[in-house]
Amino acid sequence: MKVLITAGPTVEAIDPVRFLTNRSSGKMGYALAAAAVKRGHSVLLISGPSALELPEGVDFLPIESAAEMYQAVESQITKHDIAIFAAAVADYTPTTVADQKIKKTGNEMTISLTRTKDILGSAREVMGFEGTLIGFAAETENVIENARGKCLRKNCDLVIANDVSRNDIGFDSSENEVTLVYPDREEALPQDRKDHLAYHLIELIEEL
Ligand code: CTP
């Protein structure tokens, strides 16, 4: 099958030397890409900046901002059977990007931010994707409830939820412990290495 995967953080420029980003390392998305290749799928990885080595056999579309990721996904998604959104996309981006480096002035400064477009939330109705749609939910509280809300709102077949309040798993860690949240049920998986978990997740997603 043809699998599209988003991964990593996005980087939102403030001025020529500064940006807003988040703690995503890209490990989960890259592990999913490697696992999908191993399972014989054709994989397109659309990723924000990551220090990770690109898994062999993966087609790669590098992006920086949420807007660039949106465009890349929009142009590619309907060519795929499965889309997995593992990227930690910025929810807000600076309203304007300064042409020149911003100089310090007073004791406080405020940056105006504007909501980015929800890429996963646009996959079905805006982009017309009819394949299997998988989201991630990084939560710090009410993990299942929040993930189920995302699953239903964004019309996903499955949302992979993890608790990012724990510092032994999740962001930047090599291990993860996730709960599979389907529209009508959930299933907790044991903590495991991200590469093992990724292989298991790809097998499960094939069944969907
Ligand atoms: N996502 C996306 N585009 C965005 C934001 C998120 O595609 N602009 C995707 C992520 O890749 C992930 C899922 O949506 O698969 C996360 O859902 P979201 O509701 O955006 O999570 P949060 O950003 O944590 O949102 P909230 O503030 O509702 O918790």
Side-chain angles (χ1 to χ4, degrees), residues 11-105:
V11 167
E12 312 295 324
I14 297 170
D15 72 9
V17 296
R18 303 181 178 98
F19 53 78
L20 294 176
T21 189
N22 58 61
R23 289 180 185 275
S24 172
S25 61
K27 279 180 189 153
M28 198 64 233
Y30 278 58
L32 286 163
V37 168
K38 237 189 220 170
R39 300 275 313 155
H41 302 294
S42 151
V43 180
L44 174 64
L45 180 65
I46 299 176
S47 177
S50 166
L52 299 173
E53 205 179 307
L54 190 65
E56 222 170 288
V58 167
D59 288 324
F60 185 54
L61 235 171
I63 55 86
E64 293 225 327
S65 65
E68 284 173 16
M69 183 173 275
Y70 186 99
Q71 280 180 0
V73 170
E74 187 177 37
S75 70
Q76 298 296 327
I77 193 166
T78 54
K79 300 175 196 161
H80 294 80
D81 307 297
I82 297 171
I84 306 173
F85 286 72
V89 183
D91 288 325
Y92 290 87
T93 191
T95 306
T96 55
V97 182
D99 291 338
Q100 307 298 332
K101 184 181 166 194
I102 299 169
K103 292 292 186 188
K104 58 181 153 319
T105 49

Side-chain angles (χ1 to χ4, degrees), residues 129-148:
F129 179 64
E130 292 176 351
T132 303
L133 187 61
I134 318 291
F136 271 77
E139 305 293 344
T140 56
E141 57 178 1
N142 306 326
V143 177
I144 307 295
E145 194 185 322
N146 284 329
R148 164 119 340 97

Side-chain angles (χ1 to χ4, degrees), residues 118-131:
D118 186 345
I119 311 170
L120 176 58
S122 305
R124 293 268 186 238
E125 288 188 2
V126 182
M127 301 179 188
F129 179 64
E130 292 176 351

